[in-house]
Amino acid sequence: MASQRTVLVRRETCCTEYHQAVELVGKRWTGAILAVMLQGGPMRFSAIAQAVPALSDRLLSERMKELEARGIVERRVGGASPARVEYELTEMGRDLAPALSELEAWAHRWLESP
């Protein structure tokens, strides 16, 4: 019997930062929230909720907290009574525009609408 030699092929591992970015932006509804927020300036919670109608308030709140914690969204509370809360993309969040635009273009080229 001929001797068999096992050849190990080294594959590049997935970069940690890349994996974090894909997991963050690819999380359910996060991409839609970011796409809506990239269309303009500060937005109230209710405006974001209206722009992504299938998204529950609970999940929107959770995603906004995650995006705020990562430095992608800034939450501002106005001094009026009741307090006026608005969300706006930070520079880091706005910097996602080219990547999300490319992803959208790819989706239009390759994915069929249901």
Side-chain angles (χ1 to χ4, degrees):
M1 178 175 222
S3 108
Q4 289 184 323
R5 194 172 101 170
T6 303
V7 177
L8 296 176
V9 177
R10 182 171 183 251
R11 293 190 176 156
E12 293 297 319
T13 59
C14 183
C15 155
T16 302
E17 292 84 7
Y18 173 81
H19 181 73
Q20 287 178 22
V22 168
E23 289 296 312
L24 176 65
V25 175
K27 202 171 221 179
R28 188 168 186 204
W29 297 110
T30 302
I33 293 166
L34 292 171
V36 164
M37 293 188 75
L38 280 166
Q39 294 175 9
M43 295 183 77
R44 299 202 54 181
F45 185 92
S46 59
I48 299 167
Q50 279 184 322
V52 189
L55 175 59
S56 72
D57 285 351
R58 181 193 61 78
L59 197 51
L60 175 56
S61 176
E62 185 178 308
R63 293 297 179 260
M64 295 308 287
K65 287 175 186 173
E66 291 170 352
L67 292 169
E68 184 182 6
R70 296 300 291 245
I72 294 172
V73 168
E74 182 178 15
R75 181 179 185 264
R76 293 191 190 127
V77 180
S81 182
R84 180 179 175 91
V85 178
E86 291 183 327
Y87 297 90
E88 187 170 16
L89 292 173
T90 62
E91 181 182 355
M92 183 194 313
R94 290 186 305 273
D95 205 30
L96 283 166
L100 293 177
S101 179
E102 283 298 314
L103 183 60
E104 180 181 17
W106 177 87
H108 286 297
R109 278 193 310 272
W110 295 101
L111 302 179
E112 294 179 26
S113 296

